[in-house]
Amino acid sequence: MEKKRNAFETNISAIKTMIEKDGFVPGDRIPSERELAERLSISRPSVREALRTLAYLGIIETRHGGGSFLLNRDDHTYIQIIAQFLVTGDSKFEDLAGTLRLLEQAAFVQLADVSILEEHVDSDAAFRETLIATIDNDLFERIWRQVNAFYQSFGQGELYTRAEREAFLKRS
Amino acid sequence: MEKKRNAFETNISAIKTMIEKDGFVPGDRIPSERELAERLSISRPSVREALRTLAYLGIIETRHGGGSFLLNRDDHTYIQIIAQFLVTGDSKFEDLAGTLRLLEQAAFVQLADVSILEEHVDSDAAFRETLIATIDNDLFERIWRQVNAFYQSFGQGELYTRAEREAFLKRS
DNA sequence: CGGCGGTCATTGGTCAGACCAATTACGCCT
DNA sequence: AGGCGTAATTGGTCTGACCAATGACCGCCG
């Protein structure tokens, strides 16, 4: 009898199973919290704890007064969660700057046409922002943005000097 | 004043911030639910909804009667959890592989001596692991490790073919 | 004096019920 | 038939209570 597993995960599974079994498709409204509680024979707070987690993961969306709705699977929530927990408070400042340089260097290597950077050589922020945008990789951009936001929170100024930015262009 | 953010995510952030601010390290016991509720001026059910989500993601662990404890980052299971719900997220899978290639390319550009990679050319995993280790940047390595864990959870095989790994070495 | 066992405070787990806020559905009036 | 206001539905939050598991404290006994 090792079924004594956490009731919480059991509840999440139960709700997930019920959603699948009833054949809900993305966009559908799932039963209300009160109805779920009754059908699963658990209290509404327990239902809510499970639903909140599902909502946080982007599985469902809740609308105050409207109900809970199944979301499409390819919403980006999971990427946000990853990015949010990747960069945490104990990241060292030197690592932040170093990581930013690495990320941007990676982007630069992939860059075919350097000319689009030339007009932004005056602005550190615009230069780097443009550089990252050329990659066209959502996850990569989110990670960079998260790291950069952390870097900015340290109140530091430009990551590169103007000379360094010009060096970028010459290395094409 | 667009502070109208969801209270739930605000609560998760608040708890996460408090944990970081108070300098808790993995293994530490965090304040009790009742104390958190009081310090954050929210009710215990709201605290619980946030804590359950953190527990489900593997950020913390709760022991009935004992308290809640911070887990090691390596124990964070949210990667697997999220993947469990997103098995069909093909479009974003390309982002994962692309991000990994970008990170490793950045590491390679910084690499002075390629010879240490030669002995690992037979193993995709060892090759990439060694490559990242040369960077000596904690944050960068952590980001790579998490993205790689997510990539692995999709059950994919090697990121590079053997020919691609050998091409790395030649480009020195 | 020291080890042991029991008691009790602390903490998480769960529930019932209440009230508010936002949305939606319905029916009435025009 | 259409528009509008009211009521029902539904999520959001809180209070309070009780149970269950853990752990610390303290007294008892060897």
Short mmCIF file of all heavy atoms in Angstrom, two decimals, chain D residues 10-27:
data_model
loop_
_atom_site.label_atom_id
_atom_site.label_comp_id
_atom_site.label_asym_id
_atom_site.label_seq_id
_atom_site.Cartn_x
_atom_site.Cartn_y
_atom_site.Cartn_z
P DT D 10 -21.62 27.69 -12.90
OP1 DT D 10 -21.42 26.88 -14.12
OP2 DT D 10 -22.01 27.06 -11.63
"O5'" DT D 10 -20.28 28.52 -12.64
"C5'" DT D 10 -19.81 29.39 -13.64
"C4'" DT D 10 -18.61 30.19 -13.13
"O4'" DT D 10 -19.10 31.30 -12.33
"C3'" DT D 10 -17.66 29.40 -12.22
"O3'" DT D 10 -16.35 29.43 -12.71
"C2'" DT D 10 -17.76 30.10 -10.88
"C1'" DT D 10 -18.22 31.48 -11.26
N1 DT D 10 -18.95 32.15 -10.16
C2 DT D 10 -18.65 33.47 -9.88
O2 DT D 10 -17.84 34.11 -10.50
N3 DT D 10 -19.38 34.00 -8.84
C4 DT D 10 -20.32 33.37 -8.05
O4 DT D 10 -20.90 33.96 -7.14
C5 DT D 10 -20.58 31.99 -8.39
C7 DT D 10 -21.59 31.20 -7.60
C6 DT D 10 -19.89 31.46 -9.41
P DG D 11 -15.21 28.54 -11.94
OP1 DG D 11 -14.57 27.69 -12.95
OP2 DG D 11 -15.79 27.93 -10.73
"O5'" DG D 11 -14.19 29.67 -11.50
"C5'" DG D 11 -13.56 30.45 -12.48
"C4'" DG D 11 -13.08 31.78 -11.90
"O4'" DG D 11 -14.14 32.35 -11.11
"C3'" DG D 11 -11.88 31.66 -10.95
"O3'" DG D 11 -11.04 32.79 -11.13
"C2'" DG D 11 -12.53 31.67 -9.58
"C1'" DG D 11 -13.66 32.65 -9.82
N9 DG D 11 -14.77 32.53 -8.87
C8 DG D 11 -15.61 31.45 -8.73
N7 DG D 11 -16.51 31.63 -7.80
C5 DG D 11 -16.25 32.90 -7.31
C6 DG D 11 -16.90 33.64 -6.30
O6 DG D 11 -17.87 33.31 -5.61
N1 DG D 11 -16.30 34.90 -6.11
C2 DG D 11 -15.23 35.36 -6.83
N2 DG D 11 -14.78 36.58 -6.52
N3 DG D 11 -14.62 34.68 -7.78
C4 DG D 11 -15.18 33.46 -7.97
P DG D 12 -9.75 33.01 -10.21
OP1 DG D 12 -8.74 33.79 -10.96
OP2 DG D 12 -9.40 31.67 -9.68
"O5'" DG D 12 -10.32 33.90 -9.03
"C5'" DG D 12 -10.37 35.33 -9.19
"C4'" DG D 12 -10.16 36.01 -7.85
"O4'" DG D 12 -11.33 35.84 -7.02
"C3'" DG D 12 -8.99 35.45 -7.03
"O3'" DG D 12 -8.28 36.54 -6.44
"C2'" DG D 12 -9.65 34.57 -6.00
"C1'" DG D 12 -10.98 35.28 -5.78
N9 DG D 12 -12.05 34.38 -5.37
C8 DG D 12 -12.32 33.13 -5.88
N7 DG D 12 -13.35 32.55 -5.32
C5 DG D 12 -13.79 33.46 -4.38
C6 DG D 12 -14.87 33.39 -3.47
O6 DG D 12 -15.67 32.46 -3.31
N1 DG D 12 -14.97 34.54 -2.69
C2 DG D 12 -14.12 35.62 -2.79
N2 DG D 12 -14.37 36.63 -1.96
N3 DG D 12 -13.11 35.70 -3.64
C4 DG D 12 -13.00 34.59 -4.40
P DT D 13 -7.01 36.23 -5.52
OP1 DT D 13 -6.12 37.39 -5.64
OP2 DT D 13 -6.51 34.86 -5.78
"O5'" DT D 13 -7.65 36.25 -4.07
"C5'" DT D 13 -8.33 37.42 -3.63
"C4'" DT D 13 -8.89 37.21 -2.25
"O4'" DT D 13 -9.99 36.28 -2.31
"C3'" DT D 13 -7.91 36.62 -1.24
"O3'" DT D 13 -7.55 37.63 -0.31
"C2'" DT D 13 -8.68 35.47 -0.57
"C1'" DT D 13 -10.10 35.68 -1.05
N1 DT D 13 -10.89 34.43 -1.21
C2 DT D 13 -12.00 34.25 -0.44
O2 DT D 13 -12.38 35.06 0.38
N3 DT D 13 -12.67 33.06 -0.67
C4 DT D 13 -12.33 32.07 -1.56
O4 DT D 13 -12.99 31.06 -1.67
C5 DT D 13 -11.14 32.32 -2.33
C7 DT D 13 -10.67 31.32 -3.34
C6 DT D 13 -10.49 33.49 -2.13
P DC D 14 -6.53 37.33 0.88
OP1 DC D 14 -5.85 38.60 1.19
OP2 DC D 14 -5.74 36.13 0.56
"O5'" DC D 14 -7.51 37.00 2.08
"C5'" DC D 14 -8.60 37.88 2.35
"C4'" DC D 14 -9.54 37.25 3.36
"O4'" DC D 14 -10.24 36.15 2.72
"C3'" DC D 14 -8.85 36.67 4.59
"O3'" DC D 14 -9.15 37.46 5.73
"C2'" DC D 14 -9.39 35.25 4.71
"C1'" DC D 14 -10.55 35.21 3.72
N1 DC D 14 -10.71 33.89 3.05
C2 DC D 14 -11.82 33.09 3.37
O2 DC D 14 -12.63 33.49 4.21
N3 DC D 14 -11.95 31.89 2.75
C4 DC D 14 -11.05 31.50 1.86
N4 DC D 14 -11.24 30.30 1.27
C5 DC D 14 -9.93 32.29 1.52
C6 DC D 14 -9.79 33.47 2.13
P DT D 15 -8.38 37.16 7.13
OP1 DT D 15 -8.25 38.46 7.79
OP2 DT D 15 -7.20 36.31 6.87
"O5'" DT D 15 -9.43 36.27 7.92
"C5'" DT D 15 -10.81 36.67 7.96
"C4'" DT D 15 -11.62 35.65 8.72
"O4'" DT D 15 -11.93 34.54 7.84
"C3'" DT D 15 -10.93 35.06 9.95
"O3'" DT D 15 -11.74 35.24 11.09
"C2'" DT D 15 -10.71 33.58 9.60
"C1'" DT D 15 -11.77 33.32 8.54
N1 DT D 15 -11.39 32.28 7.54
C2 DT D 15 -12.23 31.20 7.33
O2 DT D 15 -13.27 31.04 7.92
N3 DT D 15 -11.78 30.32 6.38
C4 DT D 15 -10.60 30.40 5.64
O4 DT D 15 -10.30 29.55 4.82
C5 DT D 15 -9.78 31.55 5.92
C7 DT D 15 -8.49 31.73 5.19
C6 DT D 15 -10.20 32.43 6.84
P DG D 16 -11.12 34.96 12.54
OP1 DG D 16 -11.88 35.79 13.50
OP2 DG D 16 -9.66 35.07 12.48
"O5'" DG D 16 -11.52 33.44 12.78
"C5'" DG D 16 -12.82 32.97 12.41
"C4'" DG D 16 -12.85 31.46 12.37
"O4'" DG D 16 -12.32 30.98 11.11
"C3'" DG D 16 -12.04 30.75 13.46
"O3'" DG D 16 -12.93 30.08 14.34
"C2'" DG D 16 -11.11 29.83 12.71
"C1'" DG D 16 -11.75 29.71 11.34
N9 DG D 16 -10.85 29.38 10.24
C8 DG D 16 -9.69 30.04 9.89
N7 DG D 16 -9.08 29.51 8.87
C5 DG D 16 -9.88 28.43 8.51
C6 DG D 16 -9.73 27.48 7.47
O6 DG D 16 -8.83 27.40 6.63
N1 DG D 16 -10.77 26.56 7.47
C2 DG D 16 -11.82 26.55 8.36
N2 DG D 16 -12.72 25.58 8.20
N3 DG D 16 -11.98 27.43 9.34
C4 DG D 16 -10.98 28.35 9.35
P DA D 17 -12.41 29.43 15.70
OP1 DA D 17 -13.40 29.78 16.73
OP2 DA D 17 -10.98 29.74 15.89
"O5'" DA D 17 -12.53 27.88 15.38
"C5'" DA D 17 -13.64 27.40 14.63
"C4'" DA D 17 -13.27 26.10 13.96
"O4'" DA D 17 -12.38 26.38 12.85
"C3'" DA D 17 -12.52 25.11 14.85
"O3'" DA D 17 -13.41 24.10 15.29
"C2'" DA D 17 -11.43 24.54 13.94
"C1'" DA D 17 -11.67 25.19 12.59
N9 DA D 17 -10.45 25.53 11.84
C8 DA D 17 -9.59 26.56 12.09
N7 DA D 17 -8.58 26.62 11.25
C5 DA D 17 -8.80 25.57 10.39
C6 DA D 17 -8.10 25.08 9.27
N6 DA D 17 -6.99 25.65 8.82
N1 DA D 17 -8.60 24.00 8.63
C2 DA D 17 -9.73 23.44 9.09
N3 DA D 17 -10.48 23.80 10.13
C4 DA D 17 -9.96 24.88 10.74
P DC D 18 -13.00 23.17 16.52
OP1 DC D 18 -14.27 22.72 17.15
OP2 DC D 18 -11.97 23.83 17.33
"O5'" DC D 18 -12.34 21.90 15.81
"C5'" DC D 18 -13.07 21.21 14.81
"C4'" DC D 18 -12.13 20.34 14.01
"O4'" DC D 18 -11.24 21.18 13.23
"C3'" DC D 18 -11.22 19.43 14.85
"O3'" DC D 18 -11.47 18.07 14.53
"C2'" DC D 18 -9.80 19.85 14.46
"C1'" DC D 18 -10.02 20.51 13.10
N1 DC D 18 -8.96 21.50 12.74
C2 DC D 18 -8.23 21.31 11.57
O2 DC D 18 -8.48 20.34 10.85
N3 DC D 18 -7.24 22.20 11.24
C4 DC D 18 -7.00 23.24 12.05
N4 DC D 18 -6.04 24.08 11.69
C5 DC D 18 -7.73 23.44 13.25
C6 DC D 18 -8.69 22.56 13.56
P DC D 19 -10.77 16.90 15.36
OP1 DC D 19 -11.78 15.87 15.65
OP2 DC D 19 -9.99 17.50 16.47
"O5'" DC D 19 -9.75 16.31 14.29
"C5'" DC D 19 -10.24 15.92 13.01
"C4'" DC D 19 -9.07 15.57 12.09
"O4'" DC D 19 -8.33 16.78 11.78
"C3'" DC D 19 -8.06 14.57 12.67
"O3'" DC D 19 -7.77 13.58 11.71
"C2'" DC D 19 -6.84 15.44 12.99
"C1'" DC D 19 -6.94 16.53 11.94
N1 DC D 19 -6.28 17.82 12.32
C2 DC D 19 -5.22 18.30 11.55
O2 DC D 19 -4.84 17.64 10.58
N3 DC D 19 -4.63 19.46 11.90
C4 DC D 19 -5.08 20.13 12.96
N4 DC D 19 -4.47 21.29 13.27
C5 DC D 19 -6.16 19.66 13.76
C6 DC D 19 -6.73 18.50 13.40
P DA D 20 -6.88 12.30 12.14
OP1 DA D 20 -7.34 11.15 11.33
OP2 DA D 20 -6.84 12.21 13.62
"O5'" DA D 20 -5.43 12.72 11.63
"C5'" DA D 20 -5.24 13.02 10.25
"C4'" DA D 20 -3.76 13.21 9.94
"O4'" DA D 20 -3.34 14.52 10.40
"C3'" DA D 20 -2.82 12.22 10.63
"O3'" DA D 20 -1.73 11.96 9.76
"C2'" DA D 20 -2.38 12.97 11.87
"C1'" DA D 20 -2.29 14.38 11.35
N9 DA D 20 -2.47 15.43 12.34
C8 DA D 20 -3.35 15.45 13.38
N7 DA D 20 -3.29 16.54 14.10
C5 DA D 20 -2.31 17.29 13.48
C6 DA D 20 -1.77 18.56 13.76
N6 DA D 20 -2.16 19.32 14.77
N1 DA D 20 -0.79 19.02 12.96
C2 DA D 20 -0.39 18.25 11.93
N3 DA D 20 -0.82 17.05 11.57
C4 DA D 20 -1.79 16.63 12.40
P DA D 21 -0.84 10.64 9.98
OP1 DA D 21 -0.93 9.86 8.74
OP2 DA D 21 -1.19 10.03 11.29
"O5'" DA D 21 0.63 11.24 10.09
"C5'" DA D 21 1.09 12.08 9.05
"C4'" DA D 21 2.17 13.00 9.58
"O4'" DA D 21 1.60 13.92 10.52
"C3'" DA D 21 3.32 12.29 10.32
"O3'" DA D 21 4.51 12.55 9.63
"C2'" DA D 21 3.30 12.90 11.72
"C1'" DA D 21 2.54 14.20 11.51
N9 DA D 21 1.81 14.69 12.68
C8 DA D 21 0.84 14.04 13.38
N7 DA D 21 0.34 14.73 14.38
C5 DA D 21 1.04 15.92 14.34
C6 DA D 21 0.99 17.08 15.13
N6 DA D 21 0.15 17.23 16.18
N1 DA D 21 1.83 18.09 14.82
C2 DA D 21 2.66 17.94 13.78
N3 DA D 21 2.80 16.90 12.95
C4 DA D 21 1.96 15.91 13.29
P DT D 22 5.87 11.79 10.10
OP1 DT D 22 6.59 11.45 8.86
OP2 DT D 22 5.54 10.75 11.11
"O5'" DT D 22 6.68 12.95 10.82
"C5'" DT D 22 6.73 14.24 10.22
"C4'" DT D 22 7.13 15.26 11.26
"O4'" DT D 22 6.06 15.43 12.21
"C3'" DT D 22 8.37 14.89 12.09
"O3'" DT D 22 9.42 15.74 11.70
"C2'" DT D 22 7.94 15.08 13.54
"C1'" DT D 22 6.64 15.87 13.41
N1 DT D 22 5.65 15.64 14.49
C2 DT D 22 5.35 16.67 15.34
O2 DT D 22 5.87 17.76 15.27
N3 DT D 22 4.40 16.36 16.29
C4 DT D 22 3.73 15.16 16.46
O4 DT D 22 2.92 15.00 17.35
C5 DT D 22 4.11 14.12 15.54
C7 DT D 22 3.46 12.78 15.62
C6 DT D 22 5.03 14.41 14.60
P DG D 23 10.91 15.42 12.21
OP1 DG D 23 11.85 15.91 11.17
OP2 DG D 23 10.97 14.02 12.67
"O5'" DG D 23 11.05 16.37 13.49
"C5'" DG D 23 10.58 17.71 13.41
"C4'" DG D 23 10.57 18.34 14.80
"O4'" DG D 23 9.39 17.89 15.52
"C3'" DG D 23 11.77 17.97 15.68
"O3'" DG D 23 12.17 19.12 16.41
"C2'" DG D 23 11.21 16.90 16.61
"C1'" DG D 23 9.79 17.42 16.79
N9 DG D 23 8.84 16.40 17.21
C8 DG D 23 8.74 15.10 16.76
N7 DG D 23 7.77 14.43 17.32
C5 DG D 23 7.19 15.34 18.19
C6 DG D 23 6.10 15.18 19.08
O6 DG D 23 5.41 14.16 19.26
N1 DG D 23 5.84 16.35 19.78
C2 DG D 23 6.54 17.53 19.66
N2 DG D 23 6.15 18.55 20.41
N3 DG D 23 7.57 17.68 18.83
C4 DG D 23 7.84 16.56 18.13
P DA D 24 13.67 19.19 17.01
OP1 DA D 24 14.48 19.91 16.01
OP2 DA D 24 14.09 17.84 17.48
"O5'" DA D 24 13.50 20.11 18.30
"C5'" DA D 24 12.52 21.15 18.30
"C4'" DA D 24 11.87 21.26 19.66
"O4'" DA D 24 10.92 20.17 19.83
"C3'" DA D 24 12.84 21.16 20.85
"O3'" DA D 24 12.49 22.11 21.84
"C2'" DA D 24 12.65 19.73 21.34
"C1'" DA D 24 11.17 19.53 21.07
N9 DA D 24 10.78 18.12 20.93
C8 DA D 24 11.38 17.17 20.16
N7 DA D 24 10.80 15.98 20.23
C5 DA D 24 9.75 16.18 21.11
C6 DA D 24 8.75 15.32 21.60
N6 DA D 24 8.65 14.03 21.27
N1 DA D 24 7.85 15.83 22.47
C2 DA D 24 7.95 17.12 22.82
N3 DA D 24 8.84 18.03 22.41
C4 DA D 24 9.72 17.49 21.55
P DC D 25 13.61 22.61 22.91
OP1 DC D 25 14.09 23.92 22.44
OP2 DC D 25 14.56 21.51 23.19
"O5'" DC D 25 12.77 22.85 24.23
"C5'" DC D 25 11.34 22.88 24.19
"C4'" DC D 25 10.76 21.98 25.25
"O4'" DC D 25 10.62 20.64 24.72
"C3'" DC D 25 11.61 21.85 26.51
"O3'" DC D 25 10.92 22.44 27.60
"C2'" DC D 25 11.80 20.34 26.70
"C1'" DC D 25 10.74 19.74 25.80
N1 DC D 25 11.09 18.40 25.21
C2 DC D 25 10.26 17.30 25.46
O2 DC D 25 9.24 17.44 26.15
N3 DC D 25 10.59 16.09 24.93
C4 DC D 25 11.70 15.97 24.19
N4 DC D 25 11.98 14.76 23.68
C5 DC D 25 12.56 17.07 23.94
C6 DC D 25 12.22 18.26 24.47
P DC D 26 11.66 22.65 29.03
OP1 DC D 26 11.19 23.93 29.60
OP2 DC D 26 13.11 22.40 28.87
"O5'" DC D 26 11.04 21.46 29.87
"C5'" DC D 26 9.64 21.14 29.75
"C4'" DC D 26 9.36 19.84 30.47
"O4'" DC D 26 9.69 18.73 29.60
"C3'" DC D 26 10.18 19.65 31.76
"O3'" DC D 26 9.34 19.19 32.79
"C2'" DC D 26 11.23 18.61 31.37
"C1'" DC D 26 10.46 17.79 30.33
N1 DC D 26 11.34 17.07 29.37
C2 DC D 26 11.03 15.74 29.02
O2 DC D 26 10.03 15.19 29.51
N3 DC D 26 11.84 15.08 28.15
C4 DC D 26 12.92 15.71 27.64
N4 DC D 26 13.68 15.02 26.78
C5 DC D 26 13.25 17.04 27.99
C6 DC D 26 12.44 17.69 28.86
P DG D 27 9.85 19.37 34.32
OP1 DG D 27 9.15 20.54 34.88
OP2 DG D 27 11.32 19.29 34.37
"O5'" DG D 27 9.25 18.05 34.98
"C5'" DG D 27 8.01 17.53 34.53
"C4'" DG D 27 8.07 16.01 34.46
"O4'" DG D 27 8.96 15.61 33.38
"C3'" DG D 27 8.62 15.35 35.73
"O3'" DG D 27 7.79 14.26 36.08
"C2'" DG D 27 10.01 14.88 35.33
"C1'" DG D 27 9.84 14.61 33.85
N9 DG D 27 11.07 14.68 33.05
C8 DG D 27 11.95 15.74 33.00
N7 DG D 27 12.97 15.53 32.20
C5 DG D 27 12.75 14.25 31.70
C6 DG D 27 13.52 13.49 30.78
O6 DG D 27 14.57 13.78 30.22
N1 DG D 27 12.92 12.24 30.54
C2 DG D 27 11.76 11.80 31.11
N2 DG D 27 11.36 10.58 30.76
N3 DG D 27 11.03 12.50 31.97
C4 DG D 27 11.58 13.72 32.21
#
